[in-house]
Amino acid sequence: MYRFLLSRQWVITTLVALALIPAMIQLGFWQLHRHEHRVARNDQIARSLSAAPVPVAELTGPGRTVARDDVWRTVTASGTYDPKGEVVVRMRTDDDGNQGYFVLTPLVMADGRAVLVNRGWIPANGDLTKFPEVPAAPAGRVTVTGRLRADETTASGIKNTAGLPPRQVMLISSEQRAKELHRTLLGGYVELTSPADTGQPRPLSAPDHSSIGPHMAYAVQWWLFSAFVPVGWFILVRRERRDRAEAAAAQEAAAAQEAEAAEEAATEGGDGRAPAPGSASGDTAGVARTASGPE
């Protein structure tokens, strides 16, 4: 009844179905892990943003990597800007997706160490091979407040393109800037939030930490797909069995009709060939009487 399952086509179909089930389950768990990572990230950002401001030197130091739990923490720093060490970071967008630059300026603190400050975004106008017009950094001693960020790396998807025009970079890296400036820089950088004076680069918005994305919905979809596979396989098997049974019944009916027609044809042909009663035997008897009559 189900011997067709041993055919090449159905063996391949069954093996594919068996392979799809664990693959889809695994994809569902992958999306679940992404959801959990997104939720954990949102919680970490919320905790950091709500924490009380602290001096930047308490959370980072020269050559140090900013700890994950300290990223997005509100920090303060006091010192004077060094406009000679200022660079712009290429191919950055504002909240509306417009292309431009980040303005990166070292802030030299009282102890001689410096911290990079991302002063904000400016539009990319004019010749991109030349240093753009950048609003001058405030002169004199200032106190800035901002969000602590970790150094950028190529792992984030940003290419560290070589051969850029002077005073332009692709990555915000305290290590690279320290080598070029020959100055001691704290690890990471500060994303300026205040002061936000008129005529200065546009400060960056706080990160979105309310959206959890579609990952949980994708996980449920993959798990539903994995459940549909055996159901679909069963439906296909039942349909194949029904179609084969109907085809076999149709063949049997056709064979029966052919046999009946052949039997009828054979019967009709036999009646036509049989001698009529008394015809052949009567003639024979007449011939016999003629031969035996009186001479």
Side-chain angles (χ1 to χ4, degrees), residues 19-218:
L20 285 176
I21 294 173
M24 290 179 176
I25 292 175
Q26 187 63 31
L27 287 170
F29 279 110
W30 172 60
Q31 289 291 345
L32 176 63
H33 294 330
R34 294 190 66 186
H35 168 77
E36 293 173 343
H37 175 75
R38 183 66 175 267
V39 172
R41 172 185 175 274
N42 289 348
D43 292 342
Q44 186 269 326
I45 293 175
R47 288 194 304 269
S48 295
L49 293 177
S50 61
V54 297
V56 65
E58 292 186 9
L59 301 180
T60 185
R64 283 176 53 184
T65 300
V66 177
R68 179 179 178 181
D69 290 340
D70 292 333
V71 175
W72 302 111
R73 285 284 302 273
T74 303
V75 295
T76 60
S78 298
T80 56
Y81 281 115
D82 177 15
K84 293 182 180 180
E86 185 172 80
V87 295
V88 292
V89 188
R90 293 170 59 95
M91 300 184 66
R92 300 305 171 104
T93 58
D94 64 359
D95 295 337
D96 298 325
N98 299 313
Q99 285 287 342
Y101 304 93
F102 287 164
V103 180
L104 195 65
T105 312
L107 181 72
V108 182
M109 298 180 291
D111 59 4
R113 299 182 300 175
V115 61
L116 295 176
V117 177
N118 181 357
R119 294 170 48 211
W121 179 89
I122 59 173
N125 297 324
D127 190 351
L128 300 180
T129 63
K130 297 180 180 179
F131 191 76
E133 296 183 4
V134 178
R141 184 175 179 82
V142 295
T143 298
V144 299
T145 302
R147 297 178 286 264
L148 181 61
R149 301 292 307 276
D151 287 325
E152 297 177 343
T153 64
T154 54
S156 62
I158 304 174
K159 295 182 178 180
N160 192 17
T161 307
L164 296 176
R167 302 179 65 188
Q168 297 190 26
V169 297
M170 293 295 295
L171 293 172
I172 303 178
S173 171
S174 60
E175 181 180 359
Q176 293 181 3
R177 297 304 302 147
K179 292 178 181 178
E180 295 180 6
L181 295 174
H182 304 286
R183 182 187 292 277
T184 301
L185 290 178
L186 304 184
Y189 64 98
V190 176
E191 194 173 85
L192 184 68
T193 57
S194 67
D197 299 331
T198 303
Q200 290 294 308
R202 186 187 306 171
L204 305 182
S205 301
D208 176 23
H209 57 284
S210 60
S211 173
I212 60 175
H215 305 299
M216 191 62 192
Y218 291 161

Side-chain angles (χ1 to χ4, degrees), residues 195-263:
D197 299 331
T198 303
Q200 290 294 308
R202 186 187 306 171
L204 305 182
S205 301
D208 176 23
H209 57 284
S210 60
S211 173
I212 60 175
H215 305 299
M216 191 62 192
Y218 291 161
V220 174
Q221 287 179 2
W222 280 118
W223 291 331
L224 288 176
F225 291 157
S226 69
F228 290 157
V229 169
V231 174
W233 181 88
F234 180 76
I235 292 174
L236 290 177
V237 169
R238 292 292 300 273
R239 182 179 299 173
E240 181 73 11
R241 178 180 176 274
R242 182 196 63 195
D243 293 344
R244 287 175 179 266
E246 291 177 353
Q251 289 179 357
E252 292 179 359
Q257 290 178 357
E258 291 179 359
E260 184 178 353
E263 183 178 355

